[in-house]
Amino acid sequence: MNLKEIASNVRVNIINQTADAQSGHPGGSLSGVEILTLLQFEVMNIPSYDDPDRDRFVLSKGHASPLLYGVLEQKGVLTKEDLKTFRKINTHLQGHPDMNKVTGVDMTAGSLGLGICAAVGMALAGKLDKKDYRVYSLLGDGEIQEGTVWEAFMSAAHYDLDNLCVIIDNNGLQIDGKVSDVMSPYPIKEKMEAFGFNAVEVDGHSFEELRAAFENAKNTKGRPTAIIAHTVKGKGVSFMENNASWHGSAPNEEQRIQAIKEIMEGSNE
Amino acid sequence: MSNMIATRESYGNALCELGKINDKIVVFDADLSGSTKTAVFKKAFPERHFNAGIAEMNMAGMAAGMAACGKIPFISTFAVFGTGRIYDAVRNAICYPKLNVKLAMTHAGLTVGEDGATHQMLEDVALMTALPNMTVIVPADDTEAKQVVYAAAEVDGPVYMRFGRGKTEVIFDENYKFEVGKANVLTEGSDIAIFACGIMVAKALKACEELKKEGINASVVNVATIKPLDEKTVIEVAGKCGCAVTCEEHSVYGGLYSVISQCLAGNKPVPVKAVAVNDTFGESGKPDELLEKYGLTVENIISKAKEAIAMK
Ligand SMILES: Cc1ncc(C[n+]2csc(CCOP(=O)(O)OP(=O)(O)O)c2C)c(N)n1
Ligand SMILES: [Mg+2]
């Protein structure tokens, strides 16, 4: 299977989880599909999810749990049956990822602006232990309004954490509307550079551009890298694209069918 | 079917009404104005509504500054972020200087549902009650929640209000009168005192009816103001009954059980049993399934009431 097919399957997983649960966050899950698919299937070194030397991934925007679970299903860690339990009582697939319940979840998240701090800690631990593993963390562009995010960025540069790569899912939307209307975090690239990062901007749905950026990050020594990924919230489902109201609402049966149809058509393009 | 309204809706509507009669009211939100219902106020008074973005700590700090300049800020987000995330600002920039900031927090407790433990705040009343100068109110239904919003604006100093996500039965009619610091005795009985707040008040009233069928008469007391506690009423009712049960959608630590037990231990020692979340985090699930799983049910109130009576 090629990356594009895997990405489509992940999108279908996202739609099915939120539709089955009648709850959850499709918009910001769909925008991160190429990023996390490429990371987990190509970029990251994961001999097994309990290998202490594996690369780590922290989903700082924890509400995008259907994305993480959707990828882990494609990795064979979770099953389609597991995905059906998403957000239901007694499930291991909690609304926001729980590191003690799911293999492949490296950090518990859900309160925005905290995952990135833990990612910095993981990178620091790697340096302390003289290990080669790398740490990746995906943040929302609304999430970076949190002060803690910038405290974490400051620390990452201060400790020269070139083993850390942060990806900002710059889909332009948060819950109350456009990030630029609610509380503008722009310019992001210049801010990251001022905070001591190697910063690159890419099309977050292009495997080629993302691949080059992750390569650039691996080759950058002495400082952390930030990839500002330009994405479309709800990507792949026409009625969800660029629409803030799909941040945290689930598709009904009709919408589920329509969404899956569009995703499958998109994968054949 | 009785009327069902989420207390966050009551908050949003009352806040907008309050804005009409008091131009000192300003409102802050943190990217959740649709969920917390401050969007209703925003629509009517866009120039007095500020979205802090996903930056709750700054929201609390900005509100402190506004209050220092004579405004009456209402700040809103989910209870978990609006108490835990911003605790230091609430302590050092709001409560210590006794600034007139109203914390109106929604989505408290297990009834948040599917979002799970990270979003189900069960320690907020504990955190807020521990702060000097803070008034803490947990309304039971729409009727009370609306009055709480108006009353909070009249308090000179910080107030914490706890609102819920899910629709809640309307139990009080228009004759009901909420007063800060006053507990309301809803039923008179002398076998067991049942103290409740928030969504547990409706359940306490149902438990009272069931108990009556077994010949057990309960006094149900709505303790909407957790702090300052209406000690006089609590001591009187618990003293008359000789035992008590507390009911809350909150941790057993630091909430209603704690303040009632503390009050009674020092004034009128009687056995007190708790219906509360037993020192654990929540999880994803439907609100009703969670209330069942964590024992916040009519049945559990009944069995705890009987245990308390047996200890008399
Ligand atoms: C500390 C904190 N505040 C508020 C929330 C509620 N919340 C969940 S998602 C979200 C918006 C996130 O927007 P963004 O980071 O842009 O995510 P994306 O667009 O990628 O979904 C908010 C405010 C939260 N989870 N944590
Ligand atoms: Mg966004």
Side-chain angles (χ1 to χ4, degrees):
Chain A
M1 227 183 337
N2 64 33
L3 283 171
K4 203 168 169 208
E5 285 167 335
I6 298 170
S8 289
N9 294 344
V10 172
R11 286 205 158 84
V12 171
N13 281 344
I14 291 167
I15 296 300
N16 279 329
Q17 287 173 84
T18 50
D20 286 337
Q22 277 305 294
S23 175
H25 301 81
S29 294
L30 290 167
S31 61
V33 170
E34 280 76 17
I35 297 164
L36 194 58
T37 300
L38 185 70
L39 271 175
Q40 297 262 344
F41 278 86
E42 195 181 295
V43 174
M44 289 174 71
N45 174 38
I46 310 172
S48 79
Y49 281 104
D50 55 6
D51 188 327
D53 295 333
R54 74 188 184 284
D55 287 352
R56 298 329 198 251
F57 174 71
V58 177
L59 182 68
S60 198
K61 42 172 268 185
H63 57 280
S65 49
L67 166 62
L68 181 52
Y69 301 151
V71 169
L72 291 175
E73 186 276 329
Q74 287 293 294
K75 290 281 285 185
V77 179
L78 295 172
T79 66
K80 295 255 191 248
E81 287 310 304
D82 287 325
L83 298 188
K84 289 203 174 109
T85 68
F86 175 57
R87 287 186 165 242
K88 297 197 174 135
I89 192 140
N90 300 324
T91 183
H92 49 313
L93 301 191
Q94 290 293 299
H96 295 78
D98 182 335
M99 66 188 291
N100 295 314
K101 293 202 163 115
V102 183
T103 306
V105 172
D106 288 326
M107 182 63 205
T108 296
S111 184
L112 294 168
L114 297 180
I116 180 60
C117 305
V120 170
M122 289 175 182
L124 206 48
K127 291 280 181 194
L128 196 60
D129 291 342
K130 304 210 168 16
K131 292 201 169 184
D132 290 332
Y133 69 75
R134 296 181 57 75
V135 182
Y136 296 89
S137 184
L138 181 65
L139 292 90
D141 53 2
E143 180 182 12
I144 64 171
Q145 292 158 348
E146 286 286 359
T148 50
V149 168
W150 299 93
E151 295 170 28
F153 289 166
M154 181 163 58
S155 314
H158 181 79
Y159 291 116
D160 308 327
L161 298 180
D162 51 16
N163 54 348
L164 177 76
C165 177
V166 310
I167 309 101
I168 296 169
D169 186 349
N170 192 192
N171 58 29
L173 294 175
Q174 54 191 118
I175 296 179
D176 279 346
K178 291 185 185 170
V179 294
S180 52
D181 290 340
V182 174
M183 180 56 63
S184 179
Y186 297 111
I188 301 172
K189 183 162 184 269
E190 288 80 350
K191 281 200 181 85
M192 297 305 303
E193 282 168 349
F195 269 70
F197 274 65
N198 166 41
V200 286
E201 288 194 82
V202 299
D203 171 350
H205 299 303
S206 158
F207 286 121
E208 285 88 311
E209 288 192 31
L210 284 166
R211 186 179 285 121
F214 285 124
E215 204 50 43
N216 170 315
K218 278 186 190 168
N219 295 329
T220 299
K221 298 295 164 211
R223 58 194 173 134
T225 292
I227 299 174
I228 298 130
H230 296 279
T231 57
V232 172
K233 200 156 177 167
K235 174 77 176 176
V237 179
S238 60
F239 57 90
M240 292 186 178
E241 287 189 359
N242 292 314
N243 184 344
S245 67
W246 284 101
H247 170 84
S249 38
N252 62 27
E253 275 316 306
E254 203 179 308
Q255 290 162 332
R256 178 202 318 242
I257 292 163
Q258 175 67 20
I260 293 176
K261 185 164 161 271
E262 288 186 21
I263 292 165
M264 298 320 289
E265 280 166 8
S267 76
N268 297 331
E269 266 167 18
Chain B
M1 254 300 269
S2 53
N3 206 359
M4 305 280 287
I5 301 174
T7 51
R8 61 178 165 135
E9 301 265 1
S10 327
Y11 163 57
N13 296 333
L15 184 64
C16 188
E17 291 305 311
L18 186 62
K20 289 178 192 160
I21 54 175
N22 189 337
D23 62 8
K24 286 199 197 129
I25 306 289
V26 293
V27 176
F28 284 86
D29 208 297
D31 194 31
L32 288 167
S33 66
S35 300
T36 64
K37 303 296 169 192
T38 67
V40 185
F41 182 96
K42 181 186 174 156
K43 195 153 177 254
F45 307 102
E47 72 292 348
R48 282 195 272 150
H49 185 281
F50 303 89
N51 202 326
I54 312 170
E56 296 82 6
M57 184 73 123
N58 184 40
M59 167 172 81
M62 288 194 287
M66 280 266 196
C69 293
K71 304 291 181 200
I72 307 176
F74 277 66
I75 67 176
S76 292
T77 174
F78 291 173
V80 65
F81 313 123
T83 58
R85 190 55 159 269
I86 69 174
Y87 190 74
D88 182 52
V90 177
R91 182 185 191 276
N92 285 317
I94 294 173
C95 284
Y96 178 41
K98 201 168 188 279
L99 285 166
N100 208 7
V101 177
K102 316 303 173 186
L103 289 77
M105 301 304 166
T106 67
H107 294 66
L110 289 174
T111 48
V112 162
E114 290 86 348
D115 271 346
T118 52
H119 287 53
Q120 292 162 351
M121 189 40 150
L122 296 168
E123 315 92 57
D124 54 329
V125 174
L127 288 172
M128 296 297 106
T129 303
L131 288 168
N133 292 334
M134 183 64 102
T135 295
V136 178
I137 307 173
V138 183
D141 78 341
D142 176 63
T143 309
E144 184 164 65
K146 285 192 286 211
Q147 295 187 38
V148 164
V149 176
Y150 292 105
E154 298 300 316
V155 173
D156 179 23
V159 178
Y160 177 67
M161 287 161 271
R162 184 190 218 229
F163 301 111
R165 172 188 181 219
K167 289 192 188 320
T168 308
E169 203 176 306
V170 180
I171 46 182
F172 302 127
D173 62 22
E174 62 284 356
N175 298 320
Y176 181 84
K177 180 91 187 69
F178 166 81
E179 230 177 282
V180 178
K182 175 114 190 43
N184 274 306
V185 180
L186 306 179
T187 68
E188 304 264 4
S190 53
D191 296 324
I192 174 88
I194 305 180
F195 298 106
C197 63
I199 62 161
M200 297 306 287
V201 176
K203 293 188 194 295
L205 287 169
K206 290 200 184 85
C208 171
E209 277 170 35
E210 293 301 316
L211 286 165
K212 192 174 285 166
K213 290 179 195 158
E214 300 182 40
I216 299 169
N217 293 312
S219 281
V220 174
V221 185
N222 174 25
V223 189
T225 313
I226 309 291
K227 189 186 164 188
L229 184 67
D230 183 351
E231 296 201 334
K232 186 168 165 285
T233 302
V234 170
I235 294 164
E236 232 168 65
V237 177
K240 178 180 76 178
C241 298
C243 64
V245 179
T246 61
C247 318
E248 63 197 305
E249 189 194 8
H250 185 273
S251 167
V252 71
Y253 288 109
L256 187 64
Y257 179 64
S258 292
V259 299
I260 296 277
S261 300
Q262 191 173 335
C263 166
L264 293 176
N267 295 287
K268 187 79 207 167
V270 298
V272 187
K273 286 282 173 183
V275 172
V277 176
N278 205 1
D279 194 25
T280 177
F281 289 105
E283 63 180 288
S284 291
K286 294 210 169 67
D288 284 340
E289 294 171 336
L290 294 166
L291 293 175
E292 183 76 36
K293 179 165 176 177
Y294 291 86
L296 303 186
T297 59
V298 174
E299 295 71 44
N300 199 27
I301 299 173
I302 293 169
S303 80
K304 286 282 156 39
K306 289 179 182 167
E307 283 176 33
I309 292 168
M311 288 174 73
K312 275 208 240 185

